[in-house]
Amino acid sequence: KQEVTQIPAALSVPEGENLVLNCSFTDSAIYNLQWFRQDPGKGLTSLLLIQSSQREQTSGRLNASLDKSSGRSTLYIAASQPGDSATYLCAVTLDRGSTLGRLYFGRGTQLTVWP
Amino acid sequence: GAGVSQTPSNKVTEKGKYVELRCDPISGHTALYWYRQSLGQGPEFLIYFQGTGAADDSGLPNDRFFAVRPEGSVSTLKIQRTERGDSAVYLCASSLRELAESYNEQFFGPGTRLTVL
C-alpha cells in the first residue's frame, strides 16, 4: 500500500522567507504527483502536477521537484506572503492497473506566514 | 459550471439516518472520484467512476456506503444507517479522462461537511 508522508506537519514563518515543504512516498511506481492547497473549510486547489517522467514544474513563486527513484518531492515557495497561509497536501497516483487515478494523500503541512 | 460543485455544503443528521451527497463534475469530465477527509487527516479515497461504472470501489469502508453515477455526469454518494464515525468532509473530484497520455489532473469541489449526532 502506498504511504505518503509530509514533513514538517506545521510551519510558521515571517513574511518574505523562502520555504521548503517535503513529501515522501513508499512506492516509487507512481504515475504522477500533485501538490494541493487547502484553505480552512474549503476544498482542494491544485497547484502543480508533475508527471513521473518529469523532474520539476514551476508556477509563479512555486517550484515542485520530483525524485521518483528515491520517493521524494519538494515544494519550494519563494518570498512567502501571508496569503500563502494554508495547508499544503501532496498526493500521488500509482502507475498500476485499476488503481490508476486514485490519489494517495499525505496529512499535509499547515503553513502560517505572519506579516 | 466552471468547477466541481457539491451539495449540500453542510449536512447534520442523527445516528441511524440515511443521507445522500451530490456531486456535479466539470462538464465533459468522464472520471469522477469520491474522497473522505477526517479532521487533521489527508483525504482518503472511497470510489472512482469512469463514465457510468464504478472502476474502483475498494475504498468504501463497508456496505453502508454506496455511490451511483447513472448518466455518467452527476454522482450521488449514499450512506445508510449513519454512525458518528461517518462524520467527515466528503470531497468529490473530476478529471478529463484516464489514459496514458492524459495528465489525469483532478479538480476538487468544496466538499460536504457531514456531522452525525
Side-chain angles (χ1 to χ4, degrees):
Chain A
K1 182 188 173 186
Q2 177 74 274
E3 300 285 346
V4 180
T5 303
Q6 292 188 245
I7 295 173
L11 188 60
S12 182
V13 299
E15 181 176 9
E17 284 207 0
N18 299 323
L19 308 173
V20 175
L21 308 182
N22 297 292
C23 172
S24 62
F25 44 93
T26 54
D27 187 340
S28 62
I30 65 167
Y31 182 70
N32 61 35
L33 181 146
Q34 266 183 278
W35 281 95
F36 294 89
R37 168 185 173 137
Q38 186 172 33
D39 293 281
K42 301 290 180 63
L44 279 63
T45 300
S46 179
L47 298 174
L48 291 165
L49 181 144
I50 309 177
Q51 287 293 84
S52 60
S53 58
Q54 298 174 324
R55 297 286 298 196
E56 65 177 339
Q57 283 285 341
T58 298
S59 176
R61 294 182 294 108
L62 304 179
N63 175 276
S65 66
L66 173 64
D67 185 342
K68 181 182 171 183
S69 61
S70 68
R72 294 178 186 174
S73 176
T74 299
L75 180 66
Y76 178 82
I77 303 175
S80 59
Q81 303 170 357
D84 294 330
S85 298
T87 296
Y88 290 80
L89 292 158
C90 168
V92 299
T93 60
L94 288 180
D95 187 9
R96 178 176 310 128
S98 65
T99 65
L100 178 63
R102 67 184 284 184
L103 286 165
Y104 294 84
F105 282 87
R107 296 177 66 170
T109 294
Q110 187 174 355
L111 173 65
T112 303
V113 182
W114 38 277
Chain B
V4 179
S5 62
Q6 293 186 246
T7 54
S9 55
N10 281 284
K11 176 70 177 178
V12 180
T13 190
E14 294 179 344
K15 180 175 178 295
K17 298 291 188 182
Y18 168 83
V19 297
E20 289 189 352
L21 311 179
R22 175 188 168 107
C23 172
D24 259 292
I26 293 171
S27 179
H29 280 194
T30 57
L32 186 146
Y33 308 81
W34 283 98
Y35 296 85
R36 177 168 73 172
Q37 186 175 25
S38 300
L39 192 63
Q41 305 291 321
E44 292 182 317
F45 170 81
L46 294 176
I47 187 169
Y48 153 56
F49 287 91
Q50 182 64 33
T52 60
D56 182 358
D57 64 357
S58 61
L60 294 177
N62 51 60
D63 61 6
R64 294 187 298 105
F65 288 75
F66 189 71
V68 296
R69 194 185 185 200
E71 298 178 356
S73 178
V74 171
S75 176
T76 304
L77 178 65
K78 307 180 180 190
I79 310 174
Q80 298 177 324
R81 305 183 303 279
T82 51
E83 300 177 356
R84 292 192 180 86
D86 298 335
S87 296
V89 175
Y90 289 80
L91 295 164
C92 176
S94 70
S95 67
L96 186 57
R97 60 184 177 175
E98 184 193 292
L99 294 174
E101 63 269 28
S102 166
Y103 287 106
N104 196 44
E105 185 171 7
Q106 294 186 29
F107 299 88
F108 281 76
T112 293
R113 182 174 298 277
L114 175 66
T115 304
V116 182
L117 302 176

